[in-house]
Amino acid sequence: MSQAALAQLQQITTREDATALLSQVIHTPYPLAVWRLPNEAKIFAIVDLSGSGQDYDQNLEELHEAFLINPYNASHPVAPQVLQGNIIIHIHNSEAELRIAPTTSSDQLEGFRQALESKKADPIHQPVADISSGDFSTMVADAVQSIRQGKLEKVVLSRYEDFDHQGEDPLSLFERIAEMYPRAFCHLTSTTHGIWLGASPEKLLSIEGQRYFSTDALAGTQPLAESISLSEVAWMQKEIEEQAMVSRYIIACFKKIRLREFDEIGPKTVRAGNLAHLKTEFKVDMEATNSPLLGSTMLDLLHPTSAVCGFPRETADDFIKAHEGYDRSLYAGFMGPVGFNGNTHLFVNLRCLQLIGDKARLYAGAGITEDSRPEKELAETAHKMQTLLKALHS
Ligand SMILES: C=C(O[C@H]1C=CC=C(C(=O)O)[C@@H]1O)C(=O)O
């Protein structure tokens, strides 16, 4: 192993050292993921030194200390990018711990050291096409008409908006997002898809202790002031039905694989920043149901759920592609850590932004049903953008 590279990395023992290193990695060609799970204090980061990365072979269960990133792209089977954890960092309070995975070669470490030293190293981000999202209100009105004509039941339509970003270090922005949204999955990724940050309220799936599978149906939105308690929130029929469609979609996925034993908890009102949503949790004991590969199977069936695409899935996806007029890229895709102490946590990439030069591009969508009103849905996307806008401008 390269002694110089090793010695340099071993000096990292504080939060300050670790965040300084991670900030530098963004300017190198190495893929990076930094995250903090909901209701946890520890920040994790991995750097992939493997070059082309590893292909996903439809087997979530065999991945060890990796991070998956999948764009919205609804094609099947899912084919996420796998970031391998060659360098693994834990940050807790003011301390940090850095580990190098035994599979990492000395050449990889030396290459990494040189990339950090070279001021000329090219980052990996590909240029972003500047295509604006279509007129949102017109699109919603078209969707309502198609739904009333019986062509589909629900479609989730999205848009993006660019805001000034004062060139703040992405790591500092990540730390602020993580502090502001303790209940969310907070992340920063730097890959060929660019630099993305977010505070997602929606779990796609979790596997805990290699035994307990869970997934959430999250939908229905209303603004929620900090002073209002969740028990005071009342829901309209439109939102109840919108969220029920996501639950029915998940149950249909279980039925496809003949899985009948699952717990269904909810729907309950949950808080996500300045918003309230309805959430139903689904849990399966993989040992009791003899379904050790449930994670991989369900990942393929679930994405994209009716919380980000619609119902029926193919018709809704066709509508999105024909009307939105832009590439969602990582927005409404999924990402998260896999195989850390037997745990996997994948989240839907919502309440997110992409850093593009001196701009921050914020993305948000809203579930359209037959009762949707264009101006209300537009306001809902603006509310959703507030989550990260608050972090950006504070
Ligand atoms: C599509 C988004 O949110 C989804 C998750 C929760 C509530 C939603 C809604 O009320 O429309 C969406 O289905 C987004 O945040 O961009």
Side-chain angles (χ1 to χ4, degrees):
M1 199 168 271
S2 157
Q3 289 308 313
L6 197 58
Q8 197 178 5
L9 292 174
Q10 278 167 346
Q11 280 167 15
I12 302 219
T13 55
T14 66
R15 182 186 192 112
E16 232 181 325
D17 297 339
T19 51
L21 174 78
L22 295 170
S23 296
Q24 266 181 290
V25 176
I26 294 175
H27 302 287
T28 72
Y30 292 100
L32 161 76
V34 187
W35 70 94
R36 207 263 356 257
L37 292 173
N39 305 310
E40 290 200 6
K42 237 185 197 177
I43 292 171
F44 286 80
I46 63 168
V47 185
D48 183 338
L49 306 184
S50 68
S52 55
Q54 183 185 332
D55 284 338
Y56 181 70
D57 66 354
Q58 269 68 63
N59 206 339
L60 208 55
E61 290 72 17
E62 277 174 17
L63 287 172
H64 179 62
E65 296 191 327
F67 191 94
L68 295 191
I69 298 185
N70 199 84
Y72 164 76
N73 190 353
S75 64
H76 279 88
V78 293
Q81 187 179 357
V82 182
L83 269 59
Q84 276 180 277
N86 289 110
I87 295 179
I88 301 152
I89 299 175
H90 299 175
I91 302 173
H92 192 45
N93 298 328
S94 59
E95 285 168 18
E97 192 190 304
L98 184 147
R99 265 192 305 122
I100 296 165
T103 47
T104 307
S105 72
S106 58
D107 284 355
Q108 286 174 336
L109 275 181
E110 186 50 30
F112 181 57
R113 188 184 68 83
Q114 286 175 13
L116 288 176
E117 273 181 7
S118 158
K119 299 279 176 276
K120 295 196 297 292
D122 280 334
I124 41 176
H125 322 126
Q126 284 165 359
V128 178
D130 203 13
I131 307 165
S132 60
S133 41
D135 178 61
F136 192 77
S137 301
T138 312
M139 198 161 65
V140 173
D142 288 351
V144 171
Q145 200 182 13
S146 293
I147 293 167
R148 288 186 181 154
Q149 286 166 352
K151 292 180 186 159
L152 70 172
E153 284 183 46
K154 172 183 173 179
V155 60
V156 182
L157 295 175
S158 71
R159 65 182 185 94
Y160 69 75
E161 207 172 316
D162 289 340
F163 296 88
D164 279 341
H165 169 245
Q166 317 304 341
E168 183 188 13
D169 176 52
L171 245 299
S172 316
L173 181 55
F174 164 79
E175 287 186 292
R176 192 157 62 251
I177 293 172
E179 210 180 299
M180 286 174 78
Y181 299 111
R183 286 181 291 261
F185 170 72
C186 298
H187 62 88
L188 157 63
T189 60
S190 171
T191 66
T192 47
H193 297 287
I195 304 172
W196 287 73
L197 292 107
S200 172
E202 181 156 10
K203 182 203 285 186
L204 181 64
L205 66 84
S206 277
I207 301 162
E208 280 170 287
Q210 292 173 318
R211 175 166 177 182
Y212 298 101
F213 169 95
S214 59
T215 181
D216 289 348
L218 187 93
T221 304
Q222 59 176 293
L224 180 65
E226 199 59 49
S227 56
I228 304 215
S229 94
L230 293 179
S231 58
E232 292 172 66
V233 176
W235 293 95
M236 306 286 280
Q237 194 53 37
K238 189 241 170 208
E239 280 80 26
I240 293 170
E241 183 50 28
E242 191 182 327
Q243 192 266 347
M245 276 191 219
V246 185
S247 288
R248 286 202 292 273
Y249 173 84
I250 292 174
I251 292 168
C253 292
F254 285 144
K255 277 192 181 158
K256 266 188 203 158
I257 54 169
R258 298 182 206 293
L259 191 135
R260 286 182 198 85
E261 285 161 64
F262 55 84
D263 289 330
E264 184 178 348
I265 305 138
K268 288 182 186 160
T269 302
V270 293
R271 185 187 291 276
N274 56 335
L275 300 172
H277 297 300
L278 277 168
K279 176 167 110 174
T280 304
E281 281 180 83
F282 294 88
K283 294 186 175 174
V284 180
D285 181 338
M286 299 189 331
E287 207 171 285
T289 54
N290 193 21
S291 46
L293 302 181
L294 188 63
S296 297
T297 314
M298 283 300 282
L299 180 60
D300 217 24
L301 293 172
L302 283 172
H303 176 75
T305 72
S306 322
V308 293
C309 178
F311 193 81
R313 184 164 85 185
E314 287 75 18
T315 323
D317 186 49
D318 288 346
F319 191 97
I320 289 167
K321 296 225 164 77
H323 290 78
E324 275 189 351
Y326 82 105
D327 178 6
R328 289 184 171 190
S329 185
L330 296 189
Y331 163 68
F334 64 83
M335 60 166 71
V338 178
F340 282 81
N341 295 325
N343 299 328
T344 286
H345 297 284
L346 298 177
F347 293 84
V348 186
N349 190 23
L350 301 174
R351 318 298 141 80
C352 59
L353 64 78
Q354 183 180 13
L355 294 179
I356 309 165
D358 56 0
K359 283 188 302 195
R361 181 164 289 181
L362 273 64
Y363 296 79
I368 313 303
T369 62
E370 64 178 334
D371 299 322
S372 286
R373 296 212 320 269
E375 62 293 351
K376 225 177 144 217
E377 301 297 351
L378 181 66
E380 183 173 314
T381 56
H383 275 124
K384 285 174 174 161
M385 285 182 187
Q386 280 297 322
T387 307
L388 287 197
L389 209 51
K390 273 194 196 154
L392 205 58
H393 293 156
S394 62

